[in-house]
Every structure is written in structure tokens, then in C-alpha cells.
Amino acid sequence: MMPKIDLARGEFTDDELAIAQRILHDGALRHTKPKVSFVDAGRDGYGRARREPTLDTGSAAYVWRMVAFQVSPVGHHQCLPVMAQCDLPGTYEERQVLAKKLDDLADRIANCLPKAAHYGTLNWGRVLGKW
């Protein structure tokens, strides 16, 4: 059972709330990552067509992955999210800047739950010998 997240416990802008609503289903964290939409982004150096994730769907997918890593009771959601930035648009440097902003949002969403419900964080703490 995915945890219910009460967004009223945090302070979010309208844009942040729009992202947060994409990662929830009936007030609980979605079981799966939100679908990412792509747009044409021209051609690469070899003449191949490029596609890039849209900002809104890519951001929601990234935030879902970070929140799921922290609070999901599902074991495979707790593996390290090393490829999560692939859902973000832009160059490497642009994705880095966007990821920092979205990490803050993901932390604030996760903090709407009590610490005892941070299943992923608690499991990693046990693995690393913190608890």
C-alpha cells in the first residue's frame, strides 16, 4: 500500500503543486512513474532525429522517482535512482540545475509524511549501519 501524502502539510507554489499532483493517485503516491511525453528536438551531429522530454512530464517523473526512493514501501523503488535525470530536458548542465530545484521539491513532498513512513530512507539507513 503506497503512503497517502497530505500536501496541505507543506507550502508549495502553483507550479510545484501541479507537479505534486502528477505523482499522486487518490492522494497516495502512484505505484508507477508518470508517463513522460517527448517533443522533437532537431537532429544530432549524425543527422539522426532527436527527441527530448517535455518539462512538465519529465519533471513529474523525476520528482516521483526521488519521492518513491524515500517513502515507497516497494523494495524495487528503493534502488538508487541513478538514471532519473534522463527524464529531464536540456543539456547536461541544464539538467543538473533543474535536478537541484526538483530535489528540493521532492524533499518537501516527502516531508509531508512522518519520518516513520520514510521506508526507503529507513532501509538505506539500516544498510549503511545508521540504525
Side-chain angles (χ1 to χ4, degrees), residues 3-76:
K4 294 266 187 194
I5 299 176
D6 181 12
L7 295 175
R9 294 185 67 194
E11 292 185 21
F12 304 100
T13 66
D14 290 340
D15 291 338
E16 292 171 340
L17 273 177
I19 292 172
Q21 291 301 329
R22 286 179 180 262
I23 71 167
L24 302 178
H25 178 72
D26 293 333
L29 184 66
R30 295 170 50 108
H31 285 274
T32 58
K33 180 175 83 168
K35 183 173 173 61
V36 179
S37 300
F38 292 86
V39 294
D40 291 330
R43 302 226 169 246
D44 66 10
Y46 298 101
R48 297 176 296 202
R50 288 187 33 226
R51 296 177 351 142
E52 191 168 88
T54 62
L55 180 61
D56 56 343
T57 63
S59 296
Y62 180 86
V63 170
W64 176 86
R65 184 66 188 96
M66 294 303 158
V67 173
F69 176 71
Q70 294 179 59
V71 304
S72 175
V74 179
H76 63 267

Side-chain angles (χ1 to χ4, degrees), residues 58-104:
S59 296
Y62 180 86
V63 170
W64 176 86
R65 184 66 188 96
M66 294 303 158
V67 173
F69 176 71
Q70 294 179 59
V71 304
S72 175
V74 179
H76 63 267
H77 289 165
Q78 297 168 9
C79 62
L80 292 174
V82 295
M83 297 299 291
Q85 284 190 14
C86 292
D87 290 325
L88 298 176
T91 64
Y92 175 78
E93 291 80 13
E94 293 168 341
R95 287 192 307 265
Q96 293 289 94
V97 171
L98 181 57
K100 284 184 188 269
K101 292 177 187 174
L102 295 175
D103 285 340
D104 175 60

